[in-house]
């Protein structure tokens, strides 16, 4: 009954706010702000109606129901009645620097472009990202150390593959090409000296076009990484490789198994390693998942973040291509369907699933931030999870995968990173894209100013 009364009161308040101007801020005391009246999605699977969130500087100091949370006298108050507040998202698998609009080249890998991408993620309410294996030189570490207003930037630096057999496209030369165990261990030590946030390896022959990283090499990499308290994640798609990587002590999978359905032996290996994480990268497989152009591609709000040329490219990617090889199309759809089934099976088995889009890479494209939200939608509409389950994956689980204990939920002591939405994603997961405002580290992201800058550049 209390929830019904709260919902009915929203109708009245919305009408009044249209006349008076919504999102009013009251009080002048600097440093402490109370956000009150919203439905709060905590990030741990629970929600609070008519909530209050107290933020002091860049930290959340108290959370609870409105009227039951103490706040300092004179604190600024932000009325978010009838909005929904949720934790900012975390994306555990991205590729930074190579994309600039529809251009895809190593020449784009500059400080300016990395900062711009972090702003784009922030615009969409992404609190942190992990660059997975395609960092170039010292630049990612220097940018990681800088203070900036965008998403937090974590990096694995350069990943590992056989020579010229790591990431695809113009990112190919960014990885360490290794052939000997001593060489592999030396490069791991270099990453440890840079305090890389994780280690990335490629165990994939890309349909027989390159050589897979050999088992003795990835065992040496994993062993050496663990000596330096570094975890290792793998790009791999085949079940046999995934089983052997688990036995070798791998910590996480950058993609889901896609060549066949996971079996009982694999699930048993996973249950024996409860901290191993899996990223499903459904956004990266969007062309194989969508059989027709989805309606959201024509959402006018996308023009605030992307150029007309980019959106035309996206529409083409998600529309049937009459020139495409039918066998290649069917192969892609078969692998995508297997990915979806395996994601559901692993979730049901209690595996740790995280949000990872592959954005910025060959398949992920230049749609930074958007892909993270669409991946949440696919977890619901294609995998069969509830909106709440998908939100936990995109917030708490993904933050935990990266060791970001101050992100992923809205609770006392956490960083003040959250999204204010105009609609409830528990009713429709697509509502995570109906963003009113974004706060990272207690500061509002200047979304309108960023949109104006991007639109001015064309």
């Amino acid at each position: 009954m209390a929830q019904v009364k709260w919902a009915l009161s929203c109708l009245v308040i919305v009408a009044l706010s249209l006349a008076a101007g919504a999102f009013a801020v009251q009080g002048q005391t600097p440093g402490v702000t109370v956000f009150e009246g919203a439905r709060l999605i905590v990030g741990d699977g629970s929600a609070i109606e008519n909530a209050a969130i107290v933020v002091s500087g860049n930290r959340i100091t108290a959370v609870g129901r409105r009227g039951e949370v103490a706040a300092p006298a004179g604190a600024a108050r932000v009325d978010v009645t009838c909005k929904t507040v949720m934790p900012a998202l975390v994306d555990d698998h991205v590729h930074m620097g190579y994309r600039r609009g529809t251009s895809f080249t190593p020449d784009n890998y500059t400080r300016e472009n990395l900062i711009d991408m972090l702003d784009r993620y922030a615009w969409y309410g992404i609190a942190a990202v992990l660059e997975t294996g395609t960092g170039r030189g010292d630049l990612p570490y220097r940018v990681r150390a800088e203070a900036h207003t965008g998403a937090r930037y974590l990096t694995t630096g350069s990943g590992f593959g056989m020579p010229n057999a790591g990431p695809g496209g113009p990112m190919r030369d960014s990885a360490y090409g290794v052939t000997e165990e001593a060489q592999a261990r030396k490069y791991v030590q270099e990453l440890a000296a840079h305090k890389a946030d994780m280690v990335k390896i490629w165990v994939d022959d890309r349909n027989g076009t390159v050589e897979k990283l050999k088992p003795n090499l990835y065992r040496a990499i994993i062993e050496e990484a663990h000596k330096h308290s570094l975890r290792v994640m793998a790009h791999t798609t085949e079940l046999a490789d995934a089983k052997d990587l688990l036995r070798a002590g791998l910590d996480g999978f950058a993609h889901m198994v896609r060549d066949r359905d996971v079996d009982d032996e694999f699930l048993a290996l996973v249950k024996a390693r409860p901290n191993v994480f899996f990223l499903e990268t459904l956004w990266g497989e969007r062309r194989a998942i969508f059989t027709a152009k989805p309606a959201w591609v024509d959402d006018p709000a996308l023009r605030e973040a992307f150029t007309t040329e980019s959106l035309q490219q996206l529409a083409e990617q998600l529309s049937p291509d009459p020139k495409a090889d039918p066998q290649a199309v069917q192969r892609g759809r078969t692998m995508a369907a297997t990915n979806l089934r395996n994601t559901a099976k692993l979730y049901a088995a209690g595996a740790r699933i995280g949000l990872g889009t592959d954005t910025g890479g060959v398949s992920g494209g230049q749609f930074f931030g958007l892909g993270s939200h669409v991946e949440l939608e696919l977890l619901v509409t294609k995998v069969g999870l509830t909106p709440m389950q998908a939100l936990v994956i995109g917030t708490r689980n993904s933050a935990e995968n990266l060791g970001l204990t101050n992100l992923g939920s809205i609770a006392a002591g956490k960083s003040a990173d959250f999204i204010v939405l105009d609609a409830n994603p528990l009713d429709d997961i697509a509502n995570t894209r109906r963003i009113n405002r974004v706060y990272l580290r207690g500061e509002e992201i200047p979304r309108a100013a960023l949109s104006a800058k991007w639109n001015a550049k064309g």
Side-chain angles (χ1 to χ4, degrees):
M1 182 60 70
Q3 292 184 9
V4 173
K5 289 181 179 178
W6 178 82
L8 291 174
S9 69
C10 281
L11 299 176
V12 176
I13 293 170
V14 167
L16 293 173
S17 66
L18 290 174
F23 237 88
V25 179
Q26 300 175 344
Q28 299 298 324
T29 301
V32 180
T33 304
V34 183
F35 296 83
E36 51 191 0
R39 172 186 297 103
L40 172 61
I41 297 172
V42 177
D44 61 359
S46 66
I48 302 172
E49 302 289 352
N50 196 15
I53 308 164
V54 182
V55 174
S56 179
N58 60 5
R59 291 282 168 181
I60 297 169
T61 58
V63 175
R65 285 186 57 82
R66 188 178 194 173
E68 298 176 2
V69 174
R77 294 182 179 271
V78 178
D79 187 358
V80 286
T81 302
C82 304
K83 306 292 184 184
T84 297
V85 173
M86 62 171 280
L89 299 171
V90 176
D91 195 324
D92 292 347
H93 183 164
V94 307
H95 296 283
M96 298 283 290
Y98 295 83
R99 298 277 186 176
R100 187 189 294 269
T102 56
S103 169
F104 188 28
T105 168
D107 293 337
N108 292 330
Y109 202 93
T110 64
R111 175 192 173 279
E112 177 190 12
N113 201 30
L114 291 173
I115 293 294
D116 182 71
M117 289 179 176
L118 295 173
D119 283 339
R120 292 177 183 273
Y121 280 114
W123 194 92
Y124 265 108
I126 315 301
V129 297
L130 175 67
E131 176 185 58
T132 56
T134 49
R136 303 183 77 83
D138 292 338
L139 182 58
Y141 304 111
R142 296 201 305 269
V143 173
R144 183 184 62 177
E146 288 185 24
H148 55 79
T149 58
R152 289 167 177 82
Y153 178 34
L154 283 70
T155 181
T156 68
S158 296
F160 292 82
M162 299 301 289
N164 200 36
M171 306 182 297
R172 179 61 55 86
D173 67 337
S174 65
Y176 294 118
V178 294
T179 57
E180 299 179 355
E181 293 179 26
Q183 179 189 36
R185 291 179 185 275
K186 175 178 177 292
Y187 289 143
V188 171
Q189 292 162 15
E190 289 183 7
L191 293 177
H194 281 296
K195 299 186 185 303
D197 295 290
M198 207 175 291
V199 175
K200 170 75 175 291
I201 61 176
W202 279 268
V203 184
D204 184 7
D205 64 7
R206 300 189 183 279
N207 295 319
T209 62
V210 299
E211 188 177 12
K212 287 182 185 179
L213 187 64
K214 296 181 183 299
N216 69 303
L217 295 174
Y218 64 65
R219 279 182 162 76
I221 291 168
I222 293 169
E223 181 182 65
E224 190 68 27
H226 289 174
K227 287 181 182 178
H228 296 276
S229 300
L230 286 172
R231 292 177 298 153
V232 182
M233 67 188 301
H235 169 123
T236 193
T237 61
E238 296 185 9
L239 181 60
D241 292 325
K243 287 180 180 179
D244 195 58
L245 284 161
L246 278 173
R247 295 186 182 104
L250 187 75
D251 302 287
F253 289 87
H255 299 277
M256 194 65 66
V257 169
R258 299 198 293 258
D259 70 321
R260 62 192 63 195
D261 286 29
V262 296
D263 56 20
D264 290 342
E265 180 186 26
F266 185 73
L267 294 177
L269 288 169
V270 172
K271 289 180 179 179
R273 299 280 309 285
N275 291 324
V276 171
F277 64 83
F278 293 84
L279 310 178
E280 67 285 334
T281 58
L282 301 180
W283 168 259
E285 293 191 64
R286 63 194 178 282
R287 283 179 255 194
I289 292 174
F290 290 107
T291 56
K293 187 180 78 171
W296 54 259
V297 174
D298 297 320
D299 183 354
L302 297 186
R303 301 190 187 102
E304 297 179 48
F306 305 107
T307 65
T308 299
E309 185 181 15
S310 289
L311 293 176
Q312 288 174 344
Q313 185 182 84
L314 181 62
E316 292 169 1
Q317 291 174 355
L318 297 177
S319 300
D321 181 1
K323 299 179 181 179
D325 176 3
Q327 290 184 334
V329 170
Q330 185 54 50
R331 182 170 60 250
R333 295 207 184 284
T334 299
M335 292 179 69
T338 305
N339 184 346
L340 295 170
R341 289 195 304 274
N342 285 340
T343 301
K345 287 180 180 179
L346 282 164
Y347 186 89
R352 181 190 293 270
I353 308 293
L355 179 69
T357 59
D358 210 6
T359 310
V362 175
S363 60
Q366 68 272 26
F367 304 98
F368 306 101
L370 172 65
S372 308
H373 288 268
V374 173
E375 183 134 320
L376 290 178
E377 183 175 338
L378 290 171
L379 284 170
V380 175
T381 61
K382 300 298 184 179
V383 177
L385 304 187
T386 68
M388 184 66 89
Q389 289 170 334
L391 291 171
V392 171
I393 284 174
T395 55
R396 184 191 67 186
N397 285 13
S398 295
E400 289 180 349
N401 290 343
L402 302 188
L404 297 173
T405 57
N406 63 339
L407 294 178
S409 62
I410 298 177
K414 299 283 188 177
S415 181
D417 293 57
F418 54 89
I419 311 171
V420 181
L421 302 171
D422 286 327
N424 183 8
L426 299 180
D427 295 334
D428 182 349
I429 191 62
N431 287 338
T432 64
R433 302 196 294 272
R434 294 186 59 183
I435 298 173
N436 186 295
R437 294 192 182 191
V438 173
Y439 292 84
L440 298 186
R441 300 177 290 280
E443 296 290 333
E444 183 182 351
I445 298 301
R447 299 179 79 242
L450 289 171
S451 295
K453 179 182 75 171
W454 295 329
N455 288 332
K457 289 183 177 180

